[in-house]
Amino acid sequence: MWQSSPPGSIYDYIRVASFSIGPDGLIEQWSSRAAGLFGMTSTEAVGRDPVEAFMPAELRCDGRRRVGEILDGKEWTGLVPFRIPGEGGAHGVAEVYVMPSLTGRGERAALCIVVDVRALRRIETDLAASQAIFGQSPFGFVLFGTDFAVVRANQRFATVFGGAAEDHRGRTVDDYLPRAEADRLSATLKRVLETGESVTDLQLVGTAPGDAGRRHWSMNLYRVHSGAGRPVGVAGLATDVTRRHIAAREAASARRNLALLNEASARIGNSLDLETTARELLDVAVPGFCDLAAVDLYQGLLTGEEAAPGSWAPAHRESTGGSAELRRVAHASAVADALPTAVAGSGPPGPDDLPPALGSVHRFAFGSPCAMALRSGRVEDVPGDEMGFVQSTLAVPMVAHDTVVGLVQFSRTKGSEPFGERDRALATELAARAAVCIDNARLYRREHERALILQRSLLPPGDPEAAGLDIACRYLPGNTATEVGGDWFDVIELPGHRTALVVGDVMGRGLRAAVAMGELRTAVRTLALLDLEPAEVLSALDEVARGLGSPGAGERSEGLGGSGGAQWPSRAAQKSRETDLSEVYLATCVYAVYDPVTRRCTFANAGHLPPAVVEPGRPARLIDVPPGMPLGVGGEPFEEVEVELAENALLTLYTDGLVESRDQPLDEGLDALRAVLTGPQMELEDACDHVLSTLDTRHGEDDIALLMARIQGLPVEAVGDWTLPREPRSVGRARELARDQLLSWSLDDLVDTTELLVSELVTNALRYGEGEIRLRLLRDRTLVCEVWDAGLVQPRRRRARDTDEGGRGLQLVGLLSAAWGSRRTPRGKTVWFELALPDGAPAAELSVEQLLSMY
């Protein structure tokens, strides 16, 4: 029976043995457990004196006395030391219970039951430790049996779920957790019991009795065995980690918010386009922050009104029944097939209260949360859609520099975590960052539009016309993501049917470059009217460019004052010079003057790209014009190159935006330009479009100015050219030549006026000039008469006194001609006048005041 005790018997935990002593005081019977406890077989033990066999020598005397008393019929219980087998002669202590007995023959004997005291002490210690863990631990302990019912729970566990510890005996996990969590814990208990593998940090969510809030527990599970190693249940250690979970959630939320703000800094504001900036905001917010979102901007802001977007008067809002007009510029949804009803702006939508469509203009109802947010500049909560899927919405005004520019609405659907205070703060920050970018884009767009207006106003209007030239031109500004540049071109009519062609490029971008371009273009026109040589024009223009960025030029002389000679410049003057150097305007420019009579063109270059020309039957080539220094550098003279151009040749002037970009070196761009110009012959306007469409001009890195001119030249029959000797009769001869030429051109209506004015100019040349006199008549869109002589003194118009007999000739020329003037030539001067060709209407007669003004 000792070896067949049932599972779970006490004998699995304590060491118990038995043997019997016969009437002779010797061991009569020896059990198997005694053999295991004392390390002696029955053969070795039976027939031996137990005192001699087990007790030390010093105790044997007392032991024999005890045995005698037992055989006399007395019971005895006591502790007896013994040698432990297999432990190197170590001694143990056994508790022996001796009961007197009788043999079959009536003789006195004894039955001895021996218990190992060490096992008892170990069990006592284990029970004390178990009780300490279950009873004194601050954690909840629970022991599940093999049927997964609670066998034992400590008081801490009972404190959380109510009642006393004994009240939980027999309960199951369904009594503590929701169905889904209970099923998950039951499956885990079964796996631990079957496999013996422990489970740590099993996260469970539920509610405690009397507490509506969700609680989070972390549970460690391990299998419990009997002394014989048989599984008897599963022990669980439960820890309430609700606070830790809340802290972790808040930390994760803070990390998410920081990540969103970091992403917003990187992604919002990369474009200077208002709608693009709004879409960038929603790309960051959905789905990282919310499920639905929409952005509305004030319509006045989008249309470029000067008034501040958020400054509409309250009377205006009341009269219209709501907010000022807004436009829905962006919306986004992370929910498939979902209509963003919560972003309508006035609470739960009805049949006629659907959210505005993208691009539509709308108003928020005056009492709606969205209108209140726009008026107050504070975040407002929009009620969720009770019949739909939206849980909550935040209406966040977009405020930049104390000005409301629009509204962004963030919505979360049912099932998502509702918005908290941290979310409100994050929504405000996201909206503010986008608002600043939108306001910057608005300001940039306004300045950009102003610069474009200024720049376009300074370009030649329409298609320029010139004698002996067919002209086509194009100007392409950089795209809206780049600033306005300083490229320009111009076509200037000069006396004698000559034409000045100009292409230039101010270095830099923005409004300052556009203003500098306008100043240089005005200066070029002014200098061209003086009829200076191209190199002289660029030299004077260089002086103008150097003065554009020098507002402190007058102060630079202050540092050299005093009568003691040169001194070191003052600190203020030095700072002024440093400022001036930082504001120096540099520009490149090609200035060309074309004479249609000779088909010769004179070029001067200030650091610009060389002109290109294509003559019939020949490949395109670049005209070798020495590239001087850019305008504004100063110190270097400019050179001129005169080129005779063939009839029907194509002359092309351009800026570097046409042939140079980050992806294309300048040499490759020039080669590509020559290849395009050598292409098929086509109309001039088509040729311009062909050049722009063929070359890589869509990079948007720089403005492009293109000026193309087809060389026609004046026909020989449209020119009259004569040389007259320096004698009085040349005046009459000049009148005759002019009359005959005009009659041959069928310009009879101009004969009298031309004769009179030619007589005046030739007379002046005889009286004040030198050398031979040259008379030339040119007929194109107007009639031009030129009188050349070798004198250097320029004619000057003056008012004659009443007593003067002369001095009224130039006044007469000014009154009768459309324009007149004089210019220097390499060998003297030229005086000219211009008459409009008759259009069939009678010529206007001079008024009395005009006639009297000559006297």
Side-chain angles (χ1 to χ4, degrees):
M1 292 298 294
W2 290 101
Q3 298 300 321
S4 60
S5 59
S9 171
I10 187 62
Y11 300 111
D12 291 339
Y13 300 96
I14 61 176
R15 300 181 70 185
V16 180
S18 65
F19 62 91
S20 63
I21 301 175
D24 55 0
L26 302 178
I27 298 174
E28 185 178 44
Q29 292 182 341
W30 190 256
S31 67
S32 297
R33 287 185 178 268
L37 179 62
F38 296 107
M40 298 174 64
T41 64
S42 60
T43 304
E44 296 173 337
V46 173
R48 294 187 62 181
D49 183 354
V51 176
E52 294 289 341
F54 307 115
M55 299 185 67
E58 63 274 11
L59 299 176
R60 289 174 184 175
C61 181
D62 186 60
R64 289 188 182 93
R65 182 176 58 80
R66 294 290 184 183
V67 172
E69 291 177 354
I70 292 170
L71 292 178
D72 289 340
K74 292 183 178 181
E75 291 186 2
W76 179 80
T77 299
L79 298 176
V80 178
F82 68 94
R83 290 186 298 274
I84 301 174
E87 296 188 14
H91 288 76
V93 178
E95 183 173 327
V96 182
Y97 178 40
V98 182
M99 296 173 289
S101 64
L102 296 174
T103 65
R105 294 189 296 271
E107 298 176 321
R108 292 182 182 275
L111 177 62
C112 301
I113 297 176
V114 183
V115 178
D116 188 350
V117 176
R118 292 191 309 167
L120 291 176
R121 297 292 182 267
R122 187 165 54 248
I123 292 174
E124 184 182 29
T125 302
D126 291 346
L127 289 175
S130 175
Q131 182 61 31
I133 294 174
F134 265 76
Q136 302 173 19
S137 172
F139 305 107
F141 269 91
V142 61
L143 178 63
F144 296 95
T146 55
D147 58 352
F148 307 126
V150 176
V151 175
R152 187 178 179 186
N154 68 346
Q155 188 56 43
R156 177 62 180 169
F157 185 86
T159 301
V160 175
F161 291 99
E166 293 298 326
D167 297 339
H168 293 272
R169 188 183 301 275
R171 293 185 182 180
T172 65
V173 295
D174 294 302
D175 297 319
Y176 304 105
L177 298 172
R179 180 61 180 273
E181 293 290 272
D183 291 345
R184 191 161 64 92
L185 178 56
S186 297
T188 306
L189 290 172
K190 182 178 180 181
R191 185 173 71 253
V192 172
L193 185 63
E194 292 176 351
T195 65
E197 296 180 357
S198 300
V199 173
T200 59
D201 198 21
L202 175 65
Q203 297 293 318
L204 299 172
V205 180
T207 58
D211 186 1
R214 293 175 48 164
R215 307 294 294 274
H216 296 262
W217 293 284
S218 172
M219 201 163 192
N220 298 328
L221 301 173
Y222 57 93
R223 190 169 67 181
V224 179
H225 304 85
S226 67
R230 179 183 59 82
V232 295
V234 178
L237 172 63
T239 306
D240 191 337
V241 293
T242 303
R243 292 184 178 179
R244 186 176 71 185
H245 182 80
I246 293 174
R249 184 175 58 189
E250 290 180 351
S253 176
R255 288 193 299 271
R256 182 200 64 187
N257 292 352
L258 289 175
L260 275 175
L261 290 177
N262 183 61
E263 184 181 5
S265 299
R267 297 180 60 182
I268 299 177
N270 293 322
S271 170
L272 289 173
D273 179 74
L274 301 178
E275 290 82 356
T276 302
T277 302
R279 288 193 296 270
E280 290 171 346
L281 169 62
L282 299 193
D283 290 342
V284 172
V286 180
F289 177 68
C290 61
D291 302 314
L292 305 169
V295 176
D296 299 296
L297 298 179
Y298 278 118
Q299 178 69 359
L301 180 146
L302 295 170
T303 56
E305 294 181 11
E306 289 297 327
S311 61
W312 283 276
H316 175 75
R317 293 195 294 266
E318 293 174 1
S319 63
T320 57
S323 67
E325 289 186 342
L326 298 102
R327 186 193 303 173
R328 178 64 50 88
V329 296
H331 64 65
S333 172
V335 183
D337 302 327
L339 181 66
T341 56
V343 296
S346 57
D352 300 326
D353 190 23
L354 293 177
L358 184 63
S360 64
V361 178
H362 63 95
R363 301 177 187 272
F364 290 117
F366 184 80
S368 66
C370 291
M372 294 172 61
L374 290 171
R375 289 196 300 270
S376 65
R378 295 190 297 268
V379 181
E380 296 288 341
D381 293 310
V382 180
D385 182 8
E386 297 179 358
M387 303 302 294
F389 57 90
V390 174
Q391 178 177 211
S392 61
T393 297
L394 295 178
V396 187
M398 305 178 71
V399 183
H401 310 300
D402 297 328
T403 299
V404 179
V405 299
L407 185 79
V408 57
Q409 300 173 69
F410 302 107
S411 300
R412 287 182 179 175
T413 58
K414 293 181 179 179
S416 298
E417 187 175 351
F419 290 113
E421 287 302 318
R422 291 179 180 268
D423 296 320
R424 292 171 67 92
L426 177 60
T428 302
E429 180 65 22
L430 289 174
R433 294 194 179 196
V436 170
C437 295
I438 287 175
D439 193 52
N440 290 340
R442 176 182 67 87
L443 295 175
Y444 167 79
R445 185 179 65 180
R446 185 181 65 183
E447 295 302 320
H448 188 267
E449 290 175 350
R450 290 177 178 177
L452 281 178
I453 293 173
L454 172 63
Q455 189 175 43
R456 292 181 183 276
S457 67
L458 297 174
L459 295 175
D463 296 327
E465 296 182 357
L469 291 175
D470 288 336
I471 297 176
C473 49
R474 297 288 187 274
Y475 172 75
L476 294 181
N479 58 38
T480 56
T482 60
E483 296 182 350
V484 175
D487 293 15
W488 92 92
F489 64 88
D490 208 347
V491 178
I492 307 171
E493 294 186 49
L494 299 178
H497 287 312
R498 294 171 304 131
T499 304
L501 305 176
V502 189
V503 169
D505 183 2
V506 176
M507 298 181 186
R509 300 178 184 276
L511 189 60
R512 293 175 69 248
V515 171
M517 178 269 284
E519 292 178 322
L520 290 177
R521 176 180 179 271
T522 302
V524 169
R525 281 190 158 266
T526 302
L527 294 170
L529 294 179
L530 297 177
D531 211 355
L532 302 176
E533 296 297 324
E536 294 177 335
V537 170
L538 293 186
S539 296
L541 198 60
D542 178 62
E543 293 292 336
V544 173
R546 280 192 286 171
L548 289 180
S550 303
E555 301 176 5
R556 288 198 293 267
S557 61
E558 295 178 1
L560 300 178
S563 59
Q567 301 177 4
W568 291 105
S570 67
R571 187 173 184 84
Q574 186 175 357
K575 286 185 177 180
S576 177
R577 272 199 295 273
E578 292 175 356
T579 302
D580 295 343
L581 290 176
S582 66
E583 296 179 352
V584 165
Y585 288 89
L586 298 179
T588 63
C589 180
V590 168
Y591 185 88
V593 175
Y594 172 68
D595 188 342
V597 178
T598 61
R599 294 199 313 276
R600 301 187 71 84
C601 191
T602 305
F603 298 92
N605 189 350
H608 203 81
L609 295 175
V613 64
V614 182
E615 296 179 335
R618 301 182 65 181
R621 62 184 176 90
L622 299 178
I623 300 176
D624 187 13
V625 182
M629 300 299 292
L631 302 176
V633 175
E636 294 293 331
F638 298 97
E639 300 183 37
E640 293 181 358
V641 171
E642 189 176 64
V643 179
E644 183 175 350
L645 301 175
E647 187 77 13
N648 292 321
L650 181 62
L651 178 65
T652 303
L653 306 179
Y654 53 92
T655 56
D656 56 357
L658 182 68
V659 294
E660 187 178 21
S661 68
R662 293 190 184 97
D663 302 326
Q664 178 176 266
L666 178 59
D667 292 342
E668 294 181 7
L670 292 175
D671 292 340
L673 175 62
R674 286 195 294 267
V676 171
L677 294 177
T678 311
Q681 292 289 326
M682 56 184 67
E683 295 294 330
L684 199 56
E685 293 291 336
D686 296 336
C688 269
D689 295 334
H690 178 67
V691 169
L692 294 177
S693 61
T694 304
L695 298 180
D696 181 20
T697 60
R698 300 301 176 187
H699 48 71
E701 297 174 6
D702 197 1
D703 295 1
I704 296 174
L706 176 63
L707 177 62
M708 303 183 75
R710 183 86 68 185
I711 305 300
Q712 299 296 337
L714 288 180
V716 176
E717 58 273 15
V719 178
D721 195 349
W722 307 275
T723 301
L724 302 173
R726 189 172 185 80
E727 54 187 31
R729 62 178 182 177
S730 295
V731 177
R733 178 60 178 164
R735 288 197 298 268
E736 294 175 1
L737 294 173
R739 181 176 58 254
D740 294 342
Q741 186 66 65
L742 264 60
L743 292 176
S744 66
W745 288 338
S746 300
L747 298 178
D748 301 25
D749 294 341
L750 300 181
V751 170
D752 294 339
T753 302
T754 304
E755 278 189 290
L756 176 59
L757 299 184
V758 166
S759 177
E760 287 293 335
L761 295 186
V762 173
T763 300
N764 286 341
L766 288 173
R767 181 175 299 177
Y768 305 109
E770 299 177 3
E772 291 183 330
I773 300 172
R774 183 180 176 186
L775 172 65
R776 188 168 72 170
L777 295 179
L778 306 176
R779 179 180 65 102
D780 190 69
R781 291 173 298 139
T782 61
L783 175 67
V784 174
C785 175
E786 298 176 330
V787 176
W788 298 358
D789 68 80
L792 298 178
V793 179
Q794 298 291 321
R796 182 173 60 88
R797 184 176 177 179
R798 63 183 178 85
R799 179 175 296 275
R801 293 189 297 269
D802 294 343
T803 58
D804 291 343
E805 296 182 0
R808 298 176 178 83
L810 291 181
Q811 293 186 34
L812 186 63
V813 173
L815 286 173
L816 298 179
S817 64
W820 78 277
S822 66
R823 67 176 184 274
R824 290 181 300 171
T825 65
R827 293 181 298 275
K829 67 176 181 296
T830 300
V831 184
W832 58 272
F833 67 84
E834 183 176 345
L835 297 176
L837 297 182
D839 54 2
E845 296 183 358
L846 295 178
S847 65
V848 175
E849 290 77 7
Q850 290 175 327
L851 292 174
L852 290 177
S853 66
M854 293 185 292
Y855 297 96

